[in-house]
Amino acid sequence: MSNTDLPSPDRAAALRAALLTAGFTADGLLDLLGAPAYAALARSETVPALRATRGDGPLQTLVRLFLLQQPVPYAHAAGALPAEEALADGWLGREEAADGTDTVHATVDVRPYGGPDGEDWFIVSDLGCAVGGAGGIGGRGRETDTAVVLGVGGASTTLAGITVRTPVGSALDLGTGSGIQALHATRHATRVTATDVNPRALEFTRLTLALSGAPEAELLTGSLFEPVGDATYDLIVSNPPFVISPGARLTYRDGGMGGDDLCRTLVRQAGEHLNPGGYAQFLANWQHVEGEDWRDRLRSWVPRGCDAWIVQREVQDITQYAELWLRDAGDHRMDPREYAERYEDWLEEFEARKTKAVGFGWITLRRSDAEEPSIVVEEWPHPVEQPLGETVRAHFARQDYLREHDDAALLEGRFQLAVEVMQEQVGAPGAEDPEHVVLRQNRGMRRATKVDTVGAGFAGVCDGSLTAGRILDAIAQLVQEDPVVLRDRTPEAIRLLVEQGFLEPSELPAR
């Protein structure tokens, strides 16, 4: 399907009204299909959903049309939406079935998507390419179209969840795809710009925004920051084609640069396009190269004038990684010899670059122009609680606080134990004293950290009423320790508890 074959968004409002009237929403789908069939869709298993939509009601018809990509009788479609307008605008195609029945089919995937405040949105993508749709990329045993545009996947929702959502004047969605990040940005940005190297992706973004009832965005074609020139933004988000692959076969995933160069280039160039205080947030892959610390590799990407928080969420060895993306494109369904050749190409690429594994995670930059930037690079493969946008914002606010307070100022500060933190005591049953104490967050990053009895006592007393120094003096008296010695050795522990979000400086605005 070319750009000119895509539907027209001119009458999307009428189609949207019909979809909502029929209950073609995220909640409506769950009610109709039930949890097992709904979950099966995410695994590209359609049989349970087909069984649940055997009726001819409007909602069953729309699910079969747009989510399962099944032809339906024209009469059923006409009862669910303005069929003639949908045909004229290109949302539907028409043909005669073998039994002579007048039928219609969807020309694009349309997936209901629930916004963060209960908005009923719709993500439009190529047929078979919406997670929770009829097949998934390469799922029909065919060679994948290089310019295919995907719908919503786990990476898309992850990026949407970690994005800082404070109101901003301008936002840039770089490599927009079907437009989910741009759609989210319209809620809190006065002006939204979306770019993509694939012109079809921009047309899909236009359809997604129109069918979701969202404001229009500025749509620009081109690679990386080339389309926006020297423009600057308060927020930049990107789920780029980060896959480290031999060549640039698939536009939606392969960046066309060697190794992890596309992600590195994107991160390095972002700094000059950020307004002061602005955020740039990306998903990325990076190489684990023989003889090199991956943390040092990522620190070298951070542009001048920016703080950074980089979280590695997953690491795969090169065979796991190659197999993942070969399956993603449906290559495992091709001739075994061709599959083996493509697999070999991936391994040769990694061998040439001395790559032993590939990391995946989140990169957040914040333009601070600080003389001593805060760059935190960590591995955190454990479960987290999305959305994390406020957690990200609070992380950088705490970094500012710590940068501005030396040890003496820290002891004069007041702190509060974060509301989601619980204390666990670990020890043998019946023991008088615990072997150690653990502070655990039940929200956000869900961190846990060991503390000694002084640290546990200090954290437990922090309610913002007393300075850290006054608390330590009282603890010193209780444990019969020299208060001067305790004051000298404790600031480092306080800094760690503040950095990781267990303690919140009272000077910072409450979350």
Side-chain angles (χ1 to χ4, degrees):
M1 182 182 285
S2 66
N3 292 350
T4 55
D5 294 328
L6 293 176
S8 165
D10 292 347
R11 289 183 284 192
L15 177 57
R16 171 178 171 79
L19 300 180
L20 295 179
T21 297
F24 188 62
T25 63
D27 289 341
L29 288 183
L30 185 58
D31 289 342
L32 173 68
L33 302 179
Y38 193 76
L41 273 180
R43 303 189 299 270
S44 297
E45 295 291 347
T46 60
V47 173
L50 287 168
R51 289 176 58 83
T53 56
R54 287 178 290 192
D56 58 4
L59 181 54
Q60 290 95 328
T61 297
L62 292 173
V63 172
R64 283 186 163 251
L65 263 178
F66 289 117
L67 210 60
L68 302 176
Q69 282 99 59
Q70 298 292 311
V72 303
Y74 172 84
H76 293 176
L81 48 74
E84 286 302 319
E85 289 86 346
L87 284 163
D89 290 345
W91 295 93
L92 301 178
R94 195 171 195 168
E95 68 276 312
E96 184 176 301
D99 62 0
T101 304
D102 188 11
T103 65
V104 296
H105 63 272
T107 61
V108 290
D109 251 315
V110 176
R111 178 191 176 181
Y113 178 77
D117 291 327
E119 299 93 341
D120 289 315
W121 287 340
F122 300 95
I123 309 299
V124 187
S125 63
D126 270 313
L127 288 171
C129 296
V131 175
I137 185 70
R140 298 184 175 182
R142 53 170 167 71
E143 179 69 14
T144 303
D145 183 351
T146 59
V148 71
V149 177
L150 269 61
V152 180
S156 302
T157 55
T158 293
L159 179 59
I162 68 172
T163 300
V164 176
R165 296 297 176 192
T166 52
V168 294
S170 57
L172 170 64
D173 176 12
L174 192 151
T176 186
S178 54
I180 178 175
Q181 310 304 330
L183 179 59
H184 275 278
T186 60
R187 295 177 59 252
H188 63 105
T190 304
R191 175 173 58 87
V192 176
T193 299
T195 71
D196 206 288
V197 70
N198 181 4
R200 295 185 71 249
L202 297 176
E203 294 307 312
F204 273 110
T205 294
R206 193 188 311 276
L207 294 172
T208 289
L209 295 176
L211 196 58
S212 298
E216 294 182 359
E218 178 186 30
L219 305 176
L220 303 174
T221 305
S223 177
L224 296 172
F225 290 100
E226 179 272 328
V228 302
D230 58 359
T232 58
Y233 301 88
D234 301 312
L235 174 67
I236 299 171
V237 292
S238 182
N239 177 17
F242 54 67
V243 176
I244 300 171
S245 59
R249 177 173 149 231
L250 301 177
T251 304
Y252 77 88
R253 74 171 198 193
D254 303 324
M257 296 185 184
D260 52 19
D261 283 356
L262 182 132
C263 291
R264 176 180 56 82
T265 302
L266 177 61
V267 173
R268 284 186 172 176
Q269 293 181 354
E272 61 195 64
H273 292 278
L274 278 178
N275 292 327
Y279 290 90
Q281 299 187 263
F282 315 104
L283 300 185
N285 273 164
W286 43 80
Q287 296 165 221
H288 284 228
V289 178
E290 187 176 343
E292 178 185 78
D293 188 321
W294 66 271
R295 294 174 181 84
D296 292 338
R297 184 181 192 86
L298 290 171
R299 287 189 187 98
S300 73
W301 291 9
V302 178
R304 185 185 300 275
C306 287
D307 296 333
W309 185 19
I310 301 173
V311 182
Q312 179 167 273
R313 295 287 290 155
E314 183 180 2
V315 181
Q316 292 183 310
D317 68 47
I318 57 175
T319 58
Q320 293 173 313
Y321 188 80
E323 290 161 14
L324 168 67
W325 293 108
L326 287 167
R327 287 194 303 271
D328 171 79
D331 292 344
H332 60 305
R333 295 186 176 92
M334 62 171 49
D335 180 274
R337 287 172 297 181
E338 291 183 50
Y339 174 78
E341 288 175 4
R342 287 190 174 174
Y343 199 153
E344 184 77 21
D345 289 342
W346 283 73
L347 296 185
E348 286 185 357
E349 174 79 5
F350 287 131
E351 184 178 343
R353 296 182 177 277
K354 298 183 178 180
T355 301
K356 57 183 180 179
V358 177
F360 166 80
W362 320 324
I363 298 177
T364 298
L365 307 177
R366 198 271 307 262
R367 174 80 181 274
S368 67
D369 294 316
E371 290 185 12
E372 296 183 10
S374 164
I375 300 177
V376 177
V377 183
E378 63 176 321
E379 186 166 19
W380 190 255
H382 311 294
V384 298
E385 183 185 59
Q386 288 274 32
L388 283 167
E390 176 55 27
T391 299
V392 173
R393 186 207 63 77
H395 166 88
F396 287 97
R398 293 193 303 271
Q399 293 299 322
D400 284 343
Y401 176 89
L402 292 173
R403 184 161 44 207
E404 294 163 2
H405 289 72
D406 60 17
D407 287 356
L410 205 63
L411 293 174
E412 291 302 313
R414 289 175 167 81
F415 303 92
Q416 293 174 294
L417 188 66
V419 294
E420 69 271 14
V421 174
M422 302 294 291
Q423 177 178 304
E424 299 175 1
Q425 296 190 168
V426 180
E432 227 177 273
D433 297 314
E435 293 177 14
H436 58 261
V437 178
V438 174
L439 299 181
R440 187 178 302 278
Q441 299 169 350
N442 289 323
R443 295 173 54 193
M445 294 294 287
R446 292 182 172 173
R447 298 185 188 276
T449 188
K450 286 184 183 180
V451 293
D452 58 18
T453 53
V454 171
F458 178 85
V461 174
C462 284
D463 61 3
S465 62
L466 296 174
T467 66
R470 291 278 301 278
I471 294 174
L472 289 176
D473 290 344
I475 292 175
Q477 187 173 0
L478 284 173
V479 300
Q480 297 182 337
E481 185 171 340
D482 186 336
V484 176
V485 173
L486 192 59
R487 278 173 172 257
D488 285 345
R489 69 177 174 86
T490 305
E492 183 179 352
I494 296 175
R495 285 186 182 279
L496 180 63
L497 292 175
V498 171
E499 180 177 302
Q500 295 189 346
F502 292 96
L503 293 179
E504 298 176 343
S506 297
E507 296 175 30
L508 298 182
R511 285 192 279 168

